[in-house]
Amino acid sequence: MTNQDDFQIVDAWINYSKFHIRITKAINHVLMEHYHVGLTDFYFLYYLGESPENELQQSELQTLTQLSPSALSRMVSRLKEYKGVTILEKKPLPQDKRGYTIKLTESGKKLLKELITTLETNLNASLSKDDITHIYSLSTD
């Protein structure tokens, strides 16, 4: 029989995974309930919002979101007009007509700010002080 102390890192990883899954599900629920967007949509918008000039190339977004080209294309088509408002601009790359850039419009920036504010409010209200401290301790930025 193996000594249980040999599995401390595995136990810690399992507990971290449970914590991550719980928060991810909660965030996704809040986003869907209030805005009808999922967590992957939020990541997509967040990465655009954090990029210089709120614009990224298709290939960069694929890497960040881990989406296939077709899944990313479907996401862009679905989110471009969000609730009747244009939140994304899609432009072909001058050097490669197969690729394109995606940029948040002013309306997109406003939506992203609302999403972040809603998530901040909900997470601060629902997480314990220890959970929040733990999340901050994992941040490398």
Side-chain angles (χ1 to χ4, degrees), residues 71-139:
L72 183 66
S73 181
R74 286 190 304 271
M75 178 182 281
V76 170
S77 295
R78 183 172 44 79
L79 290 176
K80 192 173 181 181
E81 295 289 325
Y82 174 78
K83 294 187 177 182
V85 177
T86 303
I87 65 166
L88 301 174
E89 293 175 352
K90 178 180 173 180
K91 298 178 187 172
L93 292 172
Q95 69 275 20
D96 179 4
K97 299 297 181 193
R98 294 172 297 168
Y100 53 90
T101 61
I102 304 295
K103 183 174 183 169
L104 276 178
T105 65
E106 288 303 315
S107 296
K109 292 178 204 174
K110 182 180 174 192
L111 172 63
L112 178 58
K113 186 175 180 179
E114 288 177 30
L115 294 172
I116 292 171
T117 300
T118 299
L119 289 178
E120 286 281 342
T121 300
N122 279 271
L123 289 172
N124 278 308
S126 64
L127 293 174
S128 70
K129 189 171 184 157
D130 286 343
D131 284 345
I132 293 170
T133 301
H134 180 70
I135 291 169
Y136 283 135
S137 75
L138 296 172
S139 176

